[in-house]
Amino acid sequence: MEIKIKKINTYTREIEVNVAWDECRNDFQLTAKKFGKKVRIPGFRPGKVPAKVLMSKFLPNIEAEFIEEGVNKYYRQALEEEKLVPVNKAEVKDVHFHFEKHFTFKAAFEIEPEVVLPKMKKNCLKVQKTEYISDDIDIDNVIEEMRRSRAEVKTVEDGAEENHFLIVDLQKLDQSGVPIIGEKLEKRFLQIGVDPFSGDNKSRLLGLKPGDTVQVELPNDKENGVSKYELSVINVEKQVLPELNEEFIKAVEPDAKDESSFREIIKSKVDDSYARRTNESFERQLADNMIDYVSPEYAPAMVDSYLDHIIDEAKTQEQEKDLDEDKIRESYRPVAERNMKWYLVRRAIIDSQDNITISKNDIEKEIEKLLERSPDHAKEIKKYYKKPSNRQRVEDDLLEKKVLDYLTEFAKIKDVKVHTKVLREEAAKEGK
């Protein structure tokens, strides 16, 4: 079998395969034999039709079947011989074959392009590392959230107030105020004062009791306007937060001795959380800078495959068949393109550095760390990491860390300090 490879671009290859008749004769005869078992000719038993009769009557059909089978077989053989791994289905063209003649065809496909890394220089990557400085308000907010998560829900009898919760039915109305059949939302949970139940809607809800009804206007994204609803109150509830006392503190943080030590523990957790945020942002910038420094090309089929996976996951999670796949592809394409570039750059770095490897012992040590951090869930953790695919995730994470540690050696890092008060002010401006 003669194979010629044409490089179209960094990720597209076209192979031309030429198989002499002497090489494909046996395969052709096998195809003819299988074909003979399927045909029915008067005077002959099934599978016993003489070859000459078969060839005289059905040669074009046998040739067509052989071409389909032969393209698949010789294409795979050519890939193996040339050590090529396609990332998409090949486009086959210029197929030529006739009985006792050469069998030729061309196949174009995409592969993972080889990334050539530029010479790494000191300070060639520019990144910012932000240190967040927390304050007492951060601690207060965490404690408030803890109290809310343990709040007692009580029914309100004397009329709803701001921040109270309503359990309601919402019946959509037409322009004349008549209920629209089939447009009723039952037993919905809302909070007074929280959009869209703020402003005029909030005013209408104040003082309501179970059994009361009122009309409200709610945003209608499909019609780019508002729709009228009749709101029927089923129940009015409020949250009663627990007192910040010794009983509460011991319940949420058994190691705390008093309120002062409790706040110290919370501050430590807040600072740990911001430290993780700092590290994630730093690593993301480092990777993005390296992507820009290398400017790798990627095979479009790799991105399409990534997007297919996202859509499959969305269908599984949401259990919906009528997803807007085009919208999902458009939304996630920049993410997919960035991730494919980083995948190729990361792989090139790993291949170029002998010391970026992960051993089985490294994986075991990492799992041991997880067990130490969560001893109460040791059984579940051990079971989870018995699965090879989950152990592979640990290996990938460790490899990622080693790659990023390597890139840090070439980074010019600008240290910046940001008070968390600034973050809260920015979030307030954005309405979060």
Side-chain angles (χ1 to χ4, degrees):
M1 182 168 65
E2 181 184 346
I3 304 168
K4 294 180 181 178
I5 302 176
K6 183 178 180 181
K7 182 178 179 180
I8 307 299
N9 53 40
T10 58
Y11 53 80
T12 307
R13 299 291 182 271
E14 181 182 86
I15 59 173
E16 183 178 347
V17 179
N18 187 333
V19 187
W21 169 247
D22 288 342
E23 291 183 74
C24 63
R25 183 198 308 269
N26 291 339
D27 288 332
F28 181 85
Q29 290 172 348
L30 284 173
T31 300
K33 188 176 181 180
K34 287 189 290 183
F35 187 87
K37 292 180 180 180
K38 297 187 293 183
V39 297
R40 297 290 182 268
I41 299 179
F44 298 100
R45 287 183 297 162
K48 299 297 182 180
V49 181
K52 287 186 178 179
V53 175
L54 202 63
M55 297 292 283
S56 65
K57 288 183 173 293
F58 299 105
L59 180 57
N61 305 78
I62 297 170
E63 287 176 338
E65 283 203 14
F66 173 69
I67 286 172
E68 184 176 350
E69 294 173 358
V71 165
N72 291 329
K73 176 178 179 177
Y74 301 127
Y75 172 62
R76 288 196 303 270
Q77 286 184 0
L79 293 176
E80 289 174 7
E81 287 187 26
E82 299 298 329
K83 294 181 173 55
L84 292 169
V85 181
V87 294
N88 67 332
K89 186 177 180 180
E91 179 187 347
V92 178
K93 60 181 181 180
D94 297 341
V95 182
H96 299 289
F97 172 75
H98 290 290
F99 180 57
E100 296 185 337
K101 303 293 183 182
H102 284 220
F103 180 21
T104 63
F105 64 89
K106 294 178 182 178
F109 52 89
E110 294 178 8
I111 61 170
E112 289 187 6
E114 181 182 357
V115 174
V116 179
L117 297 173
K119 185 177 180 180
M120 299 299 291
K121 301 176 183 178
K122 186 178 180 181
N123 297 334
C124 65
L125 305 176
K126 308 291 191 296
V127 290
Q128 177 175 300
K129 195 166 191 178
T130 304
E131 177 189 355
Y132 295 99
I133 302 171
S134 64
D135 55 27
D136 285 342
I137 296 178
D138 291 310
I139 300 170
D140 292 339
N141 288 341
V142 172
I143 293 174
E144 184 71 7
E145 187 58 36
M146 286 178 165
R147 294 176 66 204
R148 288 187 183 281
S149 68
R150 290 164 176 78
E152 181 184 358
V153 177
K154 290 188 176 181
T155 297
V156 176
E157 303 289 352
D158 53 355
E161 299 176 7
E162 187 168 2
N163 294 323
H164 281 177
F165 295 88
L166 301 183
I167 300 173
V168 304
D169 288 338
L170 289 165
Q171 172 63 61
K172 191 174 183 179
L173 308 174
D174 63 18
Q175 292 182 348
S176 61
V178 176
I180 302 174
I181 297 174
E183 294 283 349
K184 185 176 182 179
L185 305 173
E186 297 184 339
K187 292 185 179 179
R188 299 297 160 139
F189 200 67
L190 63 89
Q191 185 175 14
I192 300 175
V194 176
D195 286 337
F197 298 98
S198 57
D200 290 340
N201 282 338
K202 182 184 79 172
S203 300
R204 296 185 182 107
L205 300 180
L206 294 175
L208 292 181
K209 298 178 182 179
D212 288 346
T213 61
V214 67
Q215 285 192 11
V216 295
E217 293 184 345
L218 301 179
N220 188 324
D221 294 334
K222 291 182 180 179
E223 299 174 10
N224 294 320
V226 294
S227 296
K228 286 186 178 181
Y229 284 84
E230 182 178 77
L231 182 150
S232 302
V233 181
I234 299 172
N235 201 22
V236 183
E237 299 175 346
K238 67 177 180 179
Q239 289 185 336
V240 180
L241 275 57
E243 294 293 326
L244 181 57
N245 51 28
E246 184 178 350
E247 181 183 357
F248 173 81
I249 289 171
K250 285 296 181 182
V252 296
E253 285 294 345
D255 294 335
K257 297 177 182 178
D258 50 29
E259 185 175 343
S260 178
S261 64
F262 175 59
R263 291 182 69 86
E264 286 178 7
I265 292 172
I266 299 301
K267 178 172 173 52
S268 176
K269 291 184 177 182
V270 167
D271 290 341
D272 286 345
S273 176
Y274 277 117
R276 286 193 296 272
R277 176 174 175 173
T278 293
N279 194 53
E280 289 170 3
S281 175
F282 174 77
E283 290 180 345
R284 178 78 179 194
Q285 288 181 64
L286 197 57
D288 287 345
N289 266 262
M290 187 60 182
I291 291 171
D292 292 340
Y293 190 61
V294 177
S295 296
E297 289 191 76
Y298 58 85
M302 296 172 68
V303 170
D304 292 336
S305 178
Y306 185 98
L307 294 171
D308 288 341
H309 179 69
I310 288 176
I311 289 169
D312 289 341
E313 281 195 338
K315 287 180 178 178
T316 301
Q317 291 174 3
E318 299 182 24
Q319 296 182 342
E320 291 184 17
K321 294 183 180 179
D322 299 328
L323 289 174
D324 190 339
E325 294 189 14
D326 291 338
K327 189 173 182 179
I328 293 175
R329 288 182 188 279
E330 181 183 357
S331 176
Y332 281 93
R333 185 167 291 278
V335 175
E337 291 173 352
R338 183 268 177 196
N339 287 349
M340 284 302 104
K341 289 178 181 179
W342 174 236
Y343 162 77
L344 293 169
V345 171
R346 177 177 175 265
R347 189 189 64 179
I349 294 171
I350 293 170
D351 291 344
S352 69
Q353 302 297 312
D354 295 335
N355 62 331
I356 301 183
T357 57
I358 301 298
S359 66
K360 289 184 179 179
N361 190 42
D362 293 330
I363 296 172
E364 292 300 334
K365 285 182 178 178
E366 189 65 20
I367 294 173
E368 283 299 322
K369 289 179 184 177
L370 295 172
L371 289 169
E372 289 172 6
R373 287 200 290 267
S374 304
D376 295 339
H377 301 93
K379 188 176 180 180
E380 295 93 327
I381 292 172
K382 287 178 180 178
K383 182 179 179 181
Y384 181 80
Y385 286 110
K386 278 185 178 179
K387 193 174 180 181
S389 60
N390 294 331
R391 295 177 70 87
Q392 183 62 49
R393 288 193 186 97
V394 175
E395 182 177 351
D396 290 342
D397 289 343
L398 292 173
L399 275 172
E400 180 98 352
K401 187 177 185 309
K402 282 199 171 187
V403 168
L404 292 167
D405 287 344
Y406 165 76
L407 292 180
T408 303
E409 299 173 16
F410 305 98
K412 183 177 181 180
I413 303 171
K414 180 182 179 182
D415 291 313
V416 176
K417 292 186 178 182
V418 174
H419 289 267
T420 54
K421 177 184 177 182
V422 176
L423 299 181
R424 292 194 298 271
E425 289 173 349
E426 290 175 352
K429 288 179 181 177
E430 294 174 5
K432 294 182 180 178

